[in-house]
Amino acid sequence: MSFTYPRKEMMVRVCEAVEKGARLHRLGARPGFPCAQTIRRWAKADEPFANRLMYALQWRRGMEVSATAGPVFDAERAEALLMAVRRGAAIREVLRRPEFPNRRRLKRWKSERPDFAEALQAASAVARKIRLRKWAFYDETIADEIIARVAFGEFVADVEADPTLPSRPILARWRRMRPDFDKALRAAKLSGRHHRLHNPRRLTGVLFDDILDRLASGACLRDVARDPKMPCYSTLMYWQARNPEFAKMVAWGRAMGRETRAADEVERVDALAAKAYQALNAKA
């Protein structure tokens, strides 16, 4: 049973929700809202709505940037982050947790608080020593698990990011120490490439929305493909060739991304001009 949305009223509700911080691929989960693919079809068919939606996306992005721009250092969260790193967790793993800051905010903390930056560097050194002690010797069982996961299509980068398995430096040391393991891992890579070729990823609705959301935010198709969690570039091109609807939406996402990058460039130039104007006034 198909549901007919009151399109004009729904367009206004969608733009208001996006301006308040909602993402297109999550609106479909809300009761009464269309999915992101429907919203993009409306935008493709209605130019005023597309312009209004682009403005809403830029407004949301400005909110996200502003949220990281103020004096946002939190001593309790910073201490919890340092403790998690000291216990052996990698910084990239800690930043994925919702209770900790994202990478942009962490950079601001480090720039505003040199003492925190020094403490984080020391905590990272402690974590490296812990991880090296944990995987000080070659483990045949773990090596077999890594080879099996890679042979069945998983990328080595994904395996290295797993906190329960050796990290990249340790894996590289194992390959130097054990030529047989290095040879088996190379063969597993070839098998994994063959497995991915004959078992390509399916274009699900969530993946579809995620790809278009990244394109509309200013990323190009190759940037999307560089993410280990996303399909490779050849798969994306194959989907465009076989799926005209996906190709149209990708073209629309690229157009939105170009406008987003242009708006960012205008903001950057305006900021530089404002700084130059302030410097001239200060000299005068």
Side-chain angles (χ1 to χ4, degrees):
M1 177 178 175
S2 61
F3 180 79
T4 304
Y5 293 98
R7 182 172 297 191
K8 292 186 178 180
E9 294 81 357
M10 186 56 65
M11 286 178 176
V12 175
R13 290 184 59 196
V14 166
C15 292
E16 289 176 350
V18 171
E19 286 181 354
K20 292 178 182 178
R23 293 184 175 273
L24 291 183
H25 66 276
R26 294 178 181 172
L27 276 179
R30 298 188 183 182
F33 278 91
C35 65
Q37 190 171 355
T38 300
I39 296 172
R40 292 189 174 97
R41 285 174 182 163
W42 289 354
K44 187 173 179 61
D46 190 336
E47 185 175 355
F49 172 63
N51 295 333
R52 181 73 177 85
L53 182 61
M54 183 185 66
Y55 175 80
L57 290 168
Q58 292 173 354
W59 182 271
R60 185 201 70 197
R61 187 170 181 272
M63 287 174 56
E64 293 175 351
V65 172
S66 299
T68 65
V72 292
F73 183 77
D74 188 331
E76 293 184 1
R77 294 175 68 192
E79 185 60 33
L81 187 148
L82 291 173
M83 184 60 66
V85 174
R86 291 189 190 107
R87 289 173 178 171
I91 294 178
R92 65 177 182 274
E93 299 166 6
V94 174
L95 298 183
R96 294 193 186 106
R97 304 178 190 175
E99 66 268 22
F100 292 119
N102 56 23
R103 188 171 296 277
R104 186 182 302 165
R105 184 170 297 186
L106 180 65
K107 288 182 179 179
R108 187 166 184 88
W109 283 10
K110 292 166 68 176
S111 64
E112 291 180 350
R113 299 291 297 267
D115 55 337
F116 169 73
E118 293 178 3
L120 184 61
Q121 186 176 4
S124 299
V126 172
R128 283 194 296 270
K129 291 180 181 178
I130 292 175
R131 289 195 292 271
L132 284 173
R133 287 199 299 268
K134 182 179 179 182
W135 306 107
F137 302 100
Y138 177 78
D139 190 321
E140 192 73 34
T141 304
I142 298 297
D144 290 343
E145 181 183 350
I146 293 171
I147 291 170
R149 289 175 60 169
V150 173
F152 279 99
E154 195 166 350
F155 290 99
V156 177
D158 295 338
V159 174
E160 293 169 345
D162 190 338
T164 64
L165 295 175
S167 60
R168 178 175 297 180
I170 298 171
L171 200 59
R173 182 161 56 86
W174 282 12
R175 297 178 71 174
R176 291 194 301 269
M177 290 168 52
R178 297 291 299 264
D180 56 337
F181 171 68
D182 180 64
K183 184 177 180 180
L185 188 59
R186 290 175 183 272
K189 286 183 179 180
L190 294 176
S191 177
R193 192 178 300 123
H194 179 79
H195 186 274
R196 290 191 298 272
L197 182 64
H198 290 81
N199 298 275
R201 294 185 62 177
R202 295 180 58 189
L203 181 60
T204 61
V206 175
L207 186 59
F208 185 95
D209 293 341
D210 194 8
I211 292 171
L212 295 187
D213 194 37
R214 295 188 186 203
L215 292 175
S217 299
C220 66
L221 206 60
R222 290 191 180 276
D223 293 335
V224 175
R226 288 191 185 101
D227 190 339
K229 298 181 180 179
M230 302 298 291
C232 63
Y233 184 74
S234 59
T235 300
L236 294 175
M237 297 302 294
Y238 175 78
W239 285 349
Q240 287 189 80
R242 297 298 297 271
N243 191 337
E245 184 64 26
F246 178 70
K248 290 179 182 179
M249 291 297 103
V250 167
W252 178 86
R254 284 172 166 170
M256 293 284 287
R258 285 194 293 270
E259 294 179 3
T260 301
R261 290 193 295 271
D264 291 344
E265 186 65 20
V266 171
E267 291 180 3
R268 188 183 68 82
V269 173
D270 289 344
L272 291 175
K275 287 183 180 179
Y277 180 75
Q278 291 175 1
L280 289 174
N281 287 341
K283 289 181 180 180

